[in-house]
């Protein structure tokens, strides 16, 4: 069968990282190995009309994936898909996993929740055999975590699988299914879910709330494959945590450094997981930058949001990285629930005393799947309607999301103060920065953001 995967993403005037869509790549690789004809359309980086691609490719299945921040764009695309011959429409990904039945009501034929590897190929096999016949309930019931509308107009959902994907036995993504010329670096993801419980984050996504990871040996095999096939590359670890424990981090860094591969890479870590031994091991293994979610300059706020790190952890991590020559990027969030104006400005003090190389200031957004979405009214958060989810943009402007505890004018003043003070410290805004700029910052005030 011919399968068209569409990564639906609003471009935000170029303010999205140009990374190939990993989830789509995983299912695309599995579909290729099952003998299907696969094409990927990434609307985050390809300025093309999806309907024209459908007209040319003539898919039997059109599978779409998107984040909640691009839901409005996806909903409009689904309307278009239902007006053309695009085969069976399937949706998956984080947003669909949170709202599977809503996606069916919006016009997809099948929605997939959770890990797509468990249900996508069985569903494609069903479609190949039965087309859009949705009344073969016994056969459909064998496919886990799918939702669809039966002939009576009732949305039916099958039980979730009791199994989880074994990350040590999944194939490495076939990167050749992407148009690699559109991406400045390669991307890898090695885990599912997250063991932490930050109230603002939905990174647990389809992978669950416990967190699991492939072995260092399995990951090294994929990295070696990338180096052998593509030569000297830049690699971004898309996992929110570069391994879930210190032992595996050090083990992997040792193995990778011994291979001496032509790879420079960037990863994400919690501030409280960085120490001198690890930082030195990262540098020796070819890591050139670490990204940490600092979030707030207040210990009280960090505790309230479930981050469970301390300001001293953040300052220490920055000092260690800078000492060993490892570039460090920090993310900060303005407008977190319960944060006072004094605590908003506390981040500036932390930045002043530690001077991370990169500072990214975001506005708070209550993402679906988070505690702040589920209990919004308790925190004084006014959620956008389901047709206005594109207001949930990290670089959105004050007032896009109404918050009872901070006014748009106060948040604007916070952002402007950050802008002024960071420049006085020697930081260069992303609108003006070059590759040689040592200290760079971005916020909703800027037009451009970081590449990673």
């Amino acid at each position: 069968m011919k399968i068209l995967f569409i990564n639906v993403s609003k471009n935000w005037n170029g303010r999205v990282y140009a990374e190939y869509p990993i989830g789509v790549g995983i299912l695309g690789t599995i579909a290729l190995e099952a003998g299907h004809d696969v094409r990927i359309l990434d609307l985050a980086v390809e300025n093309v009309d999806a309907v024209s691609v459908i007209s040319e490719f003539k898919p039997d299945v059109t599978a779409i994936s998107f984040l909640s921040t691009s839901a409005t764009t996806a909903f409009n695309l689904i309307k278009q898909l239902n007006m053309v011959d695009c085969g069976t429409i399937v949706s998956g990904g984080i947003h669909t996993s949170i709202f599977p039945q809503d996606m069916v009501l919006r016009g997809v034929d099948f929605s997939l929740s959770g890990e797509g590897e468990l249900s996508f190929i069985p569903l494609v096999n069903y479609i190949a055999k039965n087309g859009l016949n949705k009344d073969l309930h016994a056969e459909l019931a064998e496919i886990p975590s799918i939702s669809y509308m039966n002939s009576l107009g009732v949305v039916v959902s099958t039980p979730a699988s009791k199994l989880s994907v074994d990350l040590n036995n999944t194939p490495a993504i076939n990167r050749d299914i992407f148009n690699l010329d559109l991406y400045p670096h390669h991307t890898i993801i090695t885990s599912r879910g997250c063991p932490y419980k930050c109230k603002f984050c939905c990174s647990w996504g389809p992978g669950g709330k416990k967190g699991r990871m492939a072995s260092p040996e399995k990951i090294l095999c994929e990295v070696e494959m990338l180096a052998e096939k593509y030569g000297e590359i830049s690699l971004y670890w898309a996992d929110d945590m570069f391994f879930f424990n210190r032992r595996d981090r050090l083990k992997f860094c040792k193995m990778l450094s011994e291979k001496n591969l032509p790879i420079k890479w960037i990863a994400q870590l919690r501030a409280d997981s960085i120490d001198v031994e690890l930082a030195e091991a990262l540098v020796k293994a070819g890591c050139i930058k670490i990204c940490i979610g600092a979030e707030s300059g207040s210990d009280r706020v960090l505790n309230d949001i479930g981050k469970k790190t301390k300001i001293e952890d953040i300052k220490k991590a920055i000092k260690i990285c800078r000492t060993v020559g490892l570039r460090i990027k920090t993310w900060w969030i303005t407008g977190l629930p319960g944060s006072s104006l004094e605590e908003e400005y506390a981040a500036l003090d932390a930045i002043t005393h530690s001077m991370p190389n990169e500072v990214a200031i975001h506005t708070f957004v209550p993402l679906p799947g988070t505690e702040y979405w589920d209990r919004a009214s308790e925190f004084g958060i006014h959620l956008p309607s389901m047709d206005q989810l594109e207001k949930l943009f990290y670089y959105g402007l004050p007032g896009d999301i109404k918050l009872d505890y901070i006014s748009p004018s106060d948040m604007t003043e916070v952002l402007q103060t950050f802008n002024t003070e960071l420049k006085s410290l020697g930081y260069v805004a992303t609108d003006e920065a070059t590759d040689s700029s040592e200290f760079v910052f971005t916020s909703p005030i800027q037009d451009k953001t970081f590449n990673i």
Side-chain angles (χ1 to χ4, degrees):
M1 295 184 75
K2 299 176 76 173
I3 304 174
L4 173 65
F5 291 93
I6 304 179
N7 178 50
V8 185
S9 175
K10 185 171 179 177
N11 185 264
W12 304 104
N13 297 319
R15 294 187 65 123
V16 293
Y17 297 158
E19 299 165 11
Y20 44 70
I22 288 286
V24 166
I26 292 170
L27 294 188
T29 298
I30 293 172
L32 270 178
E33 293 186 351
H36 300 288
D37 186 5
V38 169
R39 180 165 176 178
I40 291 178
L41 173 61
D42 185 1
L43 295 180
V45 294
E46 296 183 71
N47 186 24
V48 297
D49 176 40
V51 172
S52 65
V53 174
I54 289 167
S55 177
E56 179 266 324
F57 185 60
K58 296 179 174 55
D60 299 298
V61 175
T62 297
I64 66 172
S65 179
F66 59 96
L67 303 176
S68 295
T69 47
S70 293
T72 306
T73 300
F75 298 159
N76 290 333
L77 177 61
I78 291 168
K79 292 176 183 177
Q80 289 181 279
L81 295 180
N82 275 283
M83 296 174 66
V84 299
D85 183 7
C86 65
T88 302
I89 306 171
V90 178
S91 70
I94 293 178
H95 182 89
T96 297
S97 293
I98 298 170
F99 303 108
Q101 296 201 352
D102 180 71
M103 292 306 302
V104 174
L105 295 173
R106 289 183 181 274
V108 305
D109 296 305
F110 295 95
S111 66
L112 276 60
S113 304
E115 296 180 282
E117 298 99 317
L118 300 172
S119 53
F120 185 70
I121 293 302
L123 178 59
V124 168
N125 292 340
Y126 175 89
I127 295 167
K129 177 183 176 183
N130 304 299
L132 278 174
N133 186 345
K134 300 174 186 175
D135 287 327
L136 300 176
H137 302 302
E139 288 188 47
L140 287 169
E142 295 179 1
I143 306 173
S145 304
I146 63 170
S147 297
Y148 60 95
M149 186 179 292
N150 65 21
S151 60
L152 299 177
V154 177
V155 178
V156 178
S157 296
T158 63
S161 174
K162 295 181 180 179
L163 303 175
S164 296
V165 173
D166 182 353
L167 299 182
N168 287 321
N169 286 307
T170 55
I173 297 171
N174 182 346
R175 270 76 174 181
D176 290 340
I177 61 178
F178 300 113
N179 181 354
L180 293 177
D181 292 338
L182 298 173
Y183 307 97
H185 54 264
H186 283 274
T187 306
I188 188 171
I189 194 162
T190 61
S191 65
R192 298 284 170 89
C194 182
Y196 294 93
K197 303 293 185 290
C198 300
K199 295 178 183 178
F200 59 87
C201 184
C202 63
S203 286
W204 57 270
K209 296 184 178 182
K210 291 185 177 181
R212 62 191 192 281
M213 178 160 282
S215 69
E217 293 80 7
K218 166 67 163 56
I219 298 166
L220 182 63
C221 286
E222 183 168 354
V223 174
E224 285 187 282
M225 178 275 293
L226 289 172
E228 180 179 343
K229 188 167 187 176
Y230 301 108
E232 186 174 342
I233 62 169
S234 298
L235 181 63
Y236 176 57
W237 246 264
D239 305 271
D240 286 336
M241 279 285 288
F242 176 67
F243 291 94
F244 291 140
N245 65 71
R246 185 175 184 273
R247 180 193 67 247
D248 284 347
R249 288 184 200 115
L250 290 171
K251 179 180 181 180
F252 178 81
C253 286
K254 183 176 185 296
M255 293 192 303
L256 183 58
S257 62
E258 290 172 350
K259 294 293 183 179
N260 197 30
L261 300 175
I263 292 177
K264 299 298 181 185
W265 50 279
I266 296 170
Q268 304 177 57
L269 278 169
R270 284 173 58 93
D272 56 5
S273 66
I274 297 174
D275 56 45
V276 173
E277 182 183 6
L278 176 61
E280 290 176 342
L282 289 165
V283 172
K284 188 176 181 181
C287 181
I288 58 173
K289 183 166 78 175
I290 285 295
C291 308
I292 64 171
E295 324 305 3
S296 172
S298 162
D299 282 338
R300 186 192 67 81
V301 173
L302 288 170
N303 184 68
D304 284 354
I305 66 176
K307 188 75 178 185
K308 306 302 183 184
T309 50
K310 303 284 187 182
I311 291 302
E312 287 308 310
D313 296 327
I314 297 166
K315 292 179 180 178
K316 181 181 176 182
I318 294 168
K319 181 180 179 180
I320 289 172
C321 288
R322 294 203 57 200
T323 299
V324 303
L326 186 59
R327 192 169 179 87
I328 183 161
K329 176 181 181 179
T330 54
W331 286 295
W332 307 81
I333 304 175
T334 59
L336 283 164
S339 179
S340 67
L341 276 177
E342 181 181 358
E343 288 168 318
E344 292 289 338
Y345 290 116
L348 272 174
D349 181 68
I351 293 168
T352 300
H353 285 87
S354 58
M355 293 295 289
N357 300 99
E358 300 177 9
V359 174
I361 312 296
H362 300 166
T363 49
F364 166 70
V365 289
L367 292 171
T370 68
E371 185 169 338
Y372 290 134
W373 175 277
D374 295 337
R375 299 171 53 203
S377 61
E378 297 176 38
F379 292 102
I381 301 166
H382 297 260
L383 298 176
S385 70
M386 289 294 288
D387 289 318
Q388 294 182 313
L389 293 183
E390 287 180 2
K391 289 185 175 182
L392 302 174
F393 178 47
Y394 282 122
Y395 290 107
L397 296 174
D400 283 354
I401 302 295
K402 183 182 177 184
L403 306 170
D404 289 342
Y405 50 87
I406 187 169
S407 68
S409 60
D410 282 343
M411 190 179 290
T412 298
E413 183 177 340
V414 169
L415 293 173
Q416 290 173 339
T417 301
F418 268 86
N419 193 69
T420 301
E421 294 299 318
L422 289 172
K423 286 182 177 179
S424 73
L425 290 171
Y427 284 88
V428 181
T430 44
D431 289 352
E432 305 162 358
T434 65
D435 290 341
S436 62
S437 299
E438 183 178 4
F439 300 105
V440 185
F441 82 97
T442 195
S443 77
I445 293 175
Q446 279 69 53
D447 292 325
K448 294 169 59 179
T449 189
F450 294 100
N451 290 327
I452 298 181

